[in-house]
Amino acid sequence: MAVPRLFHAPPPGRWISSLLCLVVLAQAPGEEPVALPTTTSLTVAALMGSARASHPSLAAVEAARLVAAARYDQAGIWANPELEVRLGKTRPRQDGIERDRPVAISLRQRLTWWGTRQARRDVAQAQGGIADAEARVAGLLLGSEVRRAAITYDIAQQAATQASEETRLAADLLRLSQVKADAGTLDRASLARLRLEVTTATLGEQTRQREVKTALALLRLWCTPDLPEGLVIRDALPSWPAPSSPAVATELNQHPRLQALTAAIEAAAATVTAERQGRIPDVTLGVFTDREADRDTYGLTVGIDVPLWDRGGSAIAGAEAAQTQAEALRRLERRRLQRDLSEALGNLQSAQDEAQALAGQAMPAAEEMIRLKTAAYQAGEADLTDLLEARRAIHQVRADLRAARQRAALAQIDWGLALGDPALAAGSRP
């Protein structure tokens, strides 16, 4: 049986659609989500608290824990006694013998050896451990999805703010160029080109605003419909620590997914023990009484299963195979987590280096270039084409910087998923 790869970020083309499918199922009709404070500034922790309170997956795993607890209680209950009442009527085959109406009552109790009952309770207890670990896995996945939605919203807000600024600058440039055109120092074709730039910038701003609304709608589906317009998430983009390999190797052993598989191994081992203990036959003790016309009979009965057709060999072999499979799945999952961890850490460091290079080198150079080109255009020392090319260059640098920061933030979530600690994705913007 293959283990699903739960800790990989979907490809960019499928990420939003997958998230939409999840959040549509995240809140059943009629549910009352937890209300958040009516403020325009929240933290990711507050959003996650609301999502955990209303998400049905966590309710499902909690129900699984209750089922496991009920099975544990059931495993320790004695078998019900069996009461049998027999009523009869005799028909003599010889003359002179009176008819009789015999009555018989018997009470039997099936006794299971103490070791067998304890082994069954151990199996139920191990199943409860699986439910606890699966609850932590579900919380881990839910937290990562809320963080992804928060990052998407924050990046969309940044893009919308930048698009608004670009529209304003394009309008200012158009007004400046209109003065030049009225003075006869700028041709009408260049002025029309600037009008096209303003129209394009306005359309881009509207698109970015729609993206903000879409991202906010996703957050509302995850958390609560009461999230206000203009919401600001203070810690949406995380910081980027540099983990050490020894710490990573130690923390990986505490991953909820590995703990769930470890619990599955323990449950399989307990099942093997229970099947072996089940080969010891149960004993049935009973008492009975028979009442006839001329006599009363009392007695005791002892019954025992005879392992003639079923000696439990197949059940034991199946339980041992399940244990071997669980051990193999745990080794496989650990390798996958190690691979995911390496990929996420590499993506994190790459995106962080790119963001730092863009912010520390490319952005200052682009800002200096646009400043010089704008001053030269105002002084009539540069043409419009050079200024527009400079504007496009700085717009591209800003877009690349946002994309690098988003990739770094998402890579850190993948890193936290691989380590089994969603809090690793939390932090303040660097």
Side-chain angles (χ1 to χ4, degrees), residues 49-85:
S50 178
R52 287 195 180 99
S54 60
H55 200 277
S57 65
L58 298 186
V61 295
E62 180 62 25
R65 296 169 65 177
L66 296 177
V67 170
R71 288 177 177 173
Y72 178 80
D73 293 337
Q74 183 65 33
I77 296 177
W78 288 86
N80 290 326
E82 180 181 351
L83 177 64
E84 180 180 314
V85 178

Side-chain angles (χ1 to χ4, degrees), residues 39 59 94 111 172 178 192 399 403 421:
T39 177
Q94 297 178 4
L111 301 178
D172 292 343
Q178 184 66 54
D421 184 5

Side-chain angles (χ1 to χ4, degrees), residues 283-307:
V283 176
T284 301
L285 299 180
V287 295
F288 72 92
T289 176
D290 290 341
R291 181 178 180 83
E292 299 180 18
D294 57 345
R295 66 178 179 272
D296 293 334
T297 305
Y298 305 93
L300 299 174
T301 62
V302 177
I304 187 170
D305 291 339
V306 179

Side-chain angles (χ1 to χ4, degrees), residues 28-372:
E31 282 187 343
E32 292 294 336
V34 174
L36 292 174
T38 55
T39 177
T40 58
S41 178
L42 291 174
T43 63
V44 173
L47 295 173
M48 289 179 60
S50 178
R52 287 195 180 99
S54 60
H55 200 277
S57 65
L58 298 186
V61 295
E62 180 62 25
R65 296 169 65 177
L66 296 177
V67 170
R71 288 177 177 173
Y72 178 80
D73 293 337
Q74 183 65 33
I77 296 177
W78 288 86
N80 290 326
E82 180 181 351
L83 177 64
E84 180 180 314
V85 178
R86 296 195 304 271
L87 301 176
K89 182 177 181 181
T90 63
R91 188 178 63 181
R93 290 179 292 180
Q94 297 178 4
D95 296 335
I97 299 178
E98 296 182 359
R99 293 186 178 185
D100 192 7
R101 297 179 182 273
V103 178
I105 300 176
S106 65
L107 180 66
R108 293 185 293 271
Q109 174 65 55
R110 190 179 185 90
L111 301 178
T112 302
W113 184 54
W114 180 88
T116 302
R117 293 178 60 249
Q118 185 60 39
R120 293 174 182 172
R121 299 192 74 174
D122 291 342
V123 173
Q125 187 173 15
Q127 293 293 336
I130 295 177
D132 290 339
E134 291 294 343
R136 292 191 292 272
V137 172
L140 176 67
L141 295 178
L142 178 60
S144 69
E145 295 299 340
V146 173
R147 292 184 189 279
R148 289 182 192 277
I151 290 170
T152 300
Y153 175 72
D154 188 78
I155 291 295
Q157 280 186 316
Q158 294 183 33
T161 301
Q162 186 58 46
S164 178
E165 179 67 15
E166 292 171 2
T167 302
R168 185 187 66 80
L169 292 176
D172 292 343
L173 182 59
L174 177 60
R175 286 192 293 269
L176 175 63
S177 300
Q178 184 66 54
V179 174
K180 288 189 173 186
D182 294 341
T185 58
L186 185 68
D187 60 279
R188 295 297 175 182
S190 297
L191 191 63
R193 183 178 180 183
L194 283 174
R195 291 195 184 97
L196 178 61
E197 289 289 329
V198 173
T199 301
T200 303
T202 302
L203 292 175
E205 181 182 1
Q206 294 173 353
T207 300
R208 298 296 178 265
Q209 292 294 341
R210 287 193 294 270
E211 291 175 353
V212 171
K213 292 182 178 180
T214 300
L216 181 59
L218 293 176
L219 270 177
R220 285 171 173 169
L221 288 172
W222 278 115
C223 304
T224 171
D226 298 330
L227 291 179
E229 296 287 343
L231 171 68
V232 175
I233 305 176
R234 296 193 294 269
D235 55 352
L237 290 185
S239 58
W240 297 313
S244 60
S245 298
V248 166
T250 302
E251 294 175 8
L252 187 60
N253 293 326
Q254 305 302 319
H255 196 287
R257 186 61 186 169
L258 291 180
Q259 291 180 347
L261 291 173
T262 300
I265 294 173
E266 294 174 354
T271 303
V272 172
T273 302
E275 294 295 342
R276 289 175 176 169
Q277 295 288 351
R279 300 182 72 172
I280 301 176
D282 294 340
V283 176
T284 301
L285 299 180
V287 295
F288 72 92
T289 176
D290 290 341
R291 181 178 180 83
E292 299 180 18
D294 57 345
R295 66 178 179 272
D296 293 334
T297 305
Y298 305 93
L300 299 174
T301 62
V302 177
I304 187 170
D305 291 339
V306 179
L308 182 59
W309 314 119
D310 182 10
R311 299 182 180 180
S314 298
I316 294 173
E320 291 175 343
Q323 181 181 2
T324 302
Q325 182 186 42
E327 293 171 349
L329 289 178
R330 189 184 188 282
R331 292 194 299 270
L332 177 61
E333 184 63 25
R334 182 177 178 82
R335 290 189 179 184
R336 289 184 176 181
L337 289 176
Q338 289 173 335
R339 180 187 61 191
D340 293 350
L341 184 63
S342 298
E343 290 180 357
L345 191 55
N347 293 336
L348 172 61
Q349 293 173 343
S350 177
Q352 180 183 359
D353 292 343
E354 182 181 354
Q356 290 176 344
L358 288 170
Q361 302 175 23
M363 277 301 301
E367 290 172 351
E368 178 68 12
M369 177 185 64
I370 196 67
R371 185 182 66 80
L372 295 175

